Amino acid sequence: MVDIILLGGPGAGKGTQGELMAEWLPLPRVSSGDLFRANLSQETELGKQAKVYMDRGELVPDEITIGMVADRISEPDCANGVVFDGFPRTVAQAEALDDLLADMGRQVNAVLNIEVSEDVLLERLAGRWTCSQCGEIYHRLFSPEKVEGVCDKCGGALYQREDDNRETQLRRIRVYQEQTSPLQDYYQEKGVLVDIDGEQSPEAVAAEIREAVQPLLV
Ligand code: AP5
Ligand code: MG
Ligand code: ZN
């Protein structure tokens, strides 16, 4: 059983790397942001609550977020471990995750800290397009689709996320620095933090991640 966290600012490449890991690691990726966006598009009560915060680039309150993730990881496909993307994002969430995993006889095995400077984060968010059908992530300059506006994988239409406007991007970066970056110390103290140089090509970042994760699988 292996539980891995992808930690990094908005645009660091958590989603991109999570997708690449799925090609060789037989674990589901649980992205709190994707779960919120699914709730938003299905217009659930939880989605309505979360939207207010997401539109502002702020964190959704811990109770809501922790409950949603706890439900998700109790599903059968998560029994052998999970790749967490965008969760935990506060110390309270990290403590709650420790408790949830401990109840299942598990613990966080590795935290992949994808390091990317603020300038590069903004550059990446500005050019991001996402598939409305399958969630595949593209970038206008760095990883463009073959036919403009159309997903290579499934033919779905690409869209820009609502929180990918400059004001919200800057707010998300601030929020990351204030509320989420303390998790680096939290996991460093537990001896599970692994720094990953996020300012390389997606393939090079993926290779560094694979090198860090492979030893955990034996
Ligand atoms: P969330 O969806 O998690 O957004 P985020 O943290 O802002 O991260 P992003 O998804 O924007 O970036 P990413 O790291 O996945 O980068 P990506 O791979 O797309 O959260 C959204 C909101 O939901 C939050 O603001 C909050 O309100 C709420 N929320 C979610 N989780 C929560 C929690 N735990 N607690 C409370 N609230 C929560 O890549 C970005 C772009 O760069 C893409 O275009 C990609 O193609 C490109 N790219 C990626 N890697 C590279 C590379 N190596 N080289 C060049 N380009 C690259
Ligand atoms: Mg993401
Ligand atoms: Zn698609």
Side-chain angles (χ1 to χ4, degrees), residues 33-48:
D34 287 354
L35 290 173
F36 282 130
R37 281 184 288 277
N39 274 281
L40 237 65
S41 65
Q42 289 154 21
E43 298 179 18
T44 67
E45 196 46 49
L46 187 138
K48 282 176 202 150

Side-chain angles (χ1 to χ4, degrees), residues 7 109-113 183-185 187-195:
L7 186 65
N109 299 102
V111 178
L112 305 170
N113 181 35
L183 291 183
Q184 294 173 9
D185 287 341
Y187 288 118
Q188 180 88 59
E189 278 166 30
K190 292 186 183 290
V192 291
L193 193 78
V194 184
D195 289 330

Side-chain angles (χ1 to χ4, degrees), residues 134-151:
C134 76
E136 184 73 9
I137 302 161
Y138 296 89
H139 192 284
R140 270 289 122 90
L141 304 173
F142 309 137
S143 52
E145 66 278 17
K146 294 198 179 79
V147 178
E148 192 170 323
V150 180
C151 177

Side-chain angles (χ1 to χ4, degrees), residues 18-158:
E19 287 294 318
L20 292 172
M21 287 167 82
E23 290 170 8
W24 58 275
L25 190 65
L27 294 178
R29 174 168 68 101
V30 170
S31 158
S32 43
D34 287 354
L35 290 173
F36 282 130
R37 281 184 288 277
N39 274 281
L40 237 65
S41 65
Q42 289 154 21
E43 298 179 18
T44 67
E45 196 46 49
L46 187 138
K48 282 176 202 150
Q49 288 177 312
K51 186 178 187 333
V52 185
Y53 300 95
M54 294 175 77
D55 285 348
R56 288 198 295 238
E58 286 167 11
L59 295 183
V60 179
D62 286 336
E63 318 83 78
I64 300 178
T65 307
I66 292 165
M68 176 182 73
V69 173
D71 283 350
R72 176 66 188 91
I73 67 174
S74 70
E75 289 172 27
D77 65 319
C78 294
N80 292 321
V82 169
V83 175
F84 293 94
D85 162 0
F87 180 91
R89 255 188 166 75
T90 62
V91 171
Q93 290 180 19
E95 288 168 350
L97 180 62
D98 284 344
D99 291 345
L100 283 167
L101 291 176
D103 286 345
M104 298 189 265
R106 287 153 55 177
Q107 61 182 57
V108 173
N109 299 102
V111 178
L112 305 170
N113 181 35
I114 307 178
E115 298 184 296
V116 173
S117 67
E118 186 173 330
D119 288 352
V120 175
L121 291 180
L122 284 170
E123 196 175 53
R124 289 196 184 163
L125 294 173
R128 173 169 58 192
W129 287 75
T130 308
C131 176
S132 56
Q133 299 294 321
C134 76
E136 184 73 9
I137 302 161
Y138 296 89
H139 192 284
R140 270 289 122 90
L141 304 173
F142 309 137
S143 52
E145 66 278 17
K146 294 198 179 79
V147 178
E148 192 170 323
V150 180
C151 177
D152 294 351
K153 290 214 166 148
C154 77
L158 305 189

